[in-house]
Amino acid sequence: MTKFCATSIYGAQLVTGLLLALLAITSANAAIIEVREGERIQDAVNQAVPGDEIRVYPGLYSETVYVDKDDITLRGIVEGDNWPHLDGEKQLNDAILYSGNGFSVEWFKITHYKGNAIMGQAGNNFSIRNNWVIDSGVYGIFPEFGENGLIENNILSGIEDAAIYVGMSDYIDVRNNQVFDNVAGIEIENSRHALVEGNLVKNNTGGILVFITPGLPIKSSYDAIIRRNFVLDNNTPNFGIPGSLVSQIPSGSGIIVMSGDDVIIEDNVITGNNNAGIIITSQDFVTEIATDTGSDPNPDRVQIRDNIMLN
């Protein structure tokens, strides 16, 4: 037994040493690629290999950036009031689309796209931080089919569906963002193990939504914690696309749980929402429950505790 334990320890040390050596090699091989106004960010992405960091300096960039490689970082360099600015000019659909794992994007200003500012498709272990998104189409930040993600310290306004939309994803943290003047501030849809914490959610049509939407491949939405947010004055008239789900959300709604299970709503400040502070409802609130017989239309095991609610 002693010999076995010693061998196991030496084996573990060897594996640890090999992992550290591999990380050191990866770090040593990682490059910093710089992009300046007049150059294309996509050219830098095409050149990059896993582990590389692409630094984008202040200037105007009108393009769609596709990242389909793992472990790529897009980092904007902000100099005073000057940001790297992705502008769709109301012509381009999307600003940044990623599908690689380990993707990180931060410190970009994104305006005037028609579809999405930052959208992920099946990318895991992502980080979306410190971006400024204005009037950028249907969705602001939209990870879908992802796991283990962080959406933090972003500012989003003027979005005609959801400013931050987590779709069919697992283990996503949405923390310390500011979302205002959108139709939906933060939406957790058909997702599991989500944390929505420390956000300022104000002047939207609906503030924070936890939905099960029928007709999607994933049928459940459970284990969401909505904690320590400021949900204020979400009374903006609904300007959602006619026929869309959020176009039916009544103005003045603070937090809506539609069919979501095991949701905890705690320690929030919820004030000035003229329709209702908290709404717990079935799918027939804004949709037809008969459209998807595989989706449970009713919310179960919702806890509401220790919130401050005024006006």
Side-chain angles (χ1 to χ4, degrees):
M1 182 64 68
T2 302
K3 183 178 179 180
F4 175 78
C5 290
T7 303
S8 298
I9 292 169
Y10 292 140
Q13 290 175 338
L14 177 61
V15 171
T16 302
L18 289 172
L19 288 173
L20 290 174
L22 180 60
L23 288 172
I25 291 171
T26 303
S27 178
N29 291 335
I32 294 174
I33 304 171
E34 296 186 337
V35 181
R36 299 182 184 274
E37 190 170 23
E39 301 173 334
R40 294 180 72 248
I41 301 170
Q42 187 64 52
D43 290 340
V45 173
N46 295 343
Q47 175 189 340
V49 299
D52 285 356
E53 177 180 315
I54 298 168
R55 294 182 181 176
V56 183
Y57 286 81
L60 188 63
Y61 303 86
S62 184
E63 60 178 300
T64 298
V65 180
Y66 302 91
V67 182
D68 59 357
K69 304 172 182 179
D70 292 344
D71 301 317
I72 298 297
T73 297
L74 283 180
R75 177 168 289 118
I77 304 300
V78 179
E79 298 174 344
D81 294 331
N82 299 314
W83 289 59
H85 181 181
L86 278 161
D87 186 43
E89 299 177 340
K90 292 296 184 182
Q91 302 296 318
L92 299 176
N93 199 62
D94 305 299
I96 298 171
L97 299 173
Y98 71 89
S99 59
N101 298 319
F103 174 71
S104 178
V105 57
E106 59 183 9
W107 297 109
F108 282 86
K109 180 180 180 181
I110 302 173
T111 61
H112 306 141
Y113 284 82
K114 296 191 298 181
N116 308 283
I118 302 170
M119 182 178 186
Q121 283 288 317
N124 300 326
N125 306 314
F126 62 84
S127 172
I128 302 171
R129 303 175 64 244
N130 302 315
N131 300 286
W132 181 15
V133 179
I134 306 169
D135 183 23
S136 201
V138 182
Y139 300 106
I141 295 172
F142 181 6
E144 188 175 48
F145 296 112
E147 293 184 0
N148 302 322
L150 174 63
I151 302 170
E152 183 177 53
N153 294 335
N154 302 282
I155 300 173
L156 303 101
S157 65
I159 308 300
E160 59 191 31
D161 196 294
I164 297 175
Y165 181 101
V166 176
M168 293 182 283
S169 297
D170 294 275
Y171 299 103
I172 310 299
D173 287 0
V174 181
R175 302 191 317 218
N176 303 325
N177 302 279
Q178 297 181 45
V179 292
F180 54 91
D181 300 335
N182 310 287
V183 175
I186 298 170
E187 182 171 351
I188 309 297
E189 182 190 66
N190 296 46
S191 296
R192 286 106 6 220
H193 316 300
L195 172 65
V196 180
E197 182 174 34
N199 303 280
L200 175 60
V201 183
K202 67 176 184 178
N203 297 337
N204 307 284
T205 301
I208 299 174
L209 320 178
V210 180
F211 276 15
I212 294 179
T213 298
L216 298 179
I218 293 176
K219 306 296 183 182
S220 61
S221 189
Y222 58 82
D223 186 25
I225 299 174
I226 303 171
R227 183 170 64 200
R228 298 174 188 154
N229 303 281
F230 289 86
V231 184
L232 314 177
D233 303 315
N234 290 284
N235 304 310
T236 293
N238 195 317
F239 59 95
I241 299 170
S244 67
L245 191 69
V246 298
S247 70
Q248 302 175 67
I249 294 173
S251 174
S253 301
I255 296 173
I256 306 175
V257 177
M258 188 184 79
S259 309
D261 298 331
D262 299 295
V263 179
I264 298 174
I265 302 170
E266 64 180 0
D267 297 322
N268 302 281
V269 176
I270 306 169
T271 71
N273 304 285
N274 290 339
N275 181 47
I278 299 173
I279 299 171
I280 312 298
T281 183
S282 63
Q283 281 178 353
D284 57 3
F285 183 61
V286 294
T287 189
E288 173 53 58
I289 63 174
T291 57
D292 187 353
T293 57
S295 179
D296 179 4
N298 300 306
D300 299 305
R301 299 174 302 278
V302 176
Q303 301 178 48
I304 302 172
R305 58 195 188 203
D306 299 322
N307 301 281
I308 294 174
M309 304 180 68
L310 302 171
N311 302 326

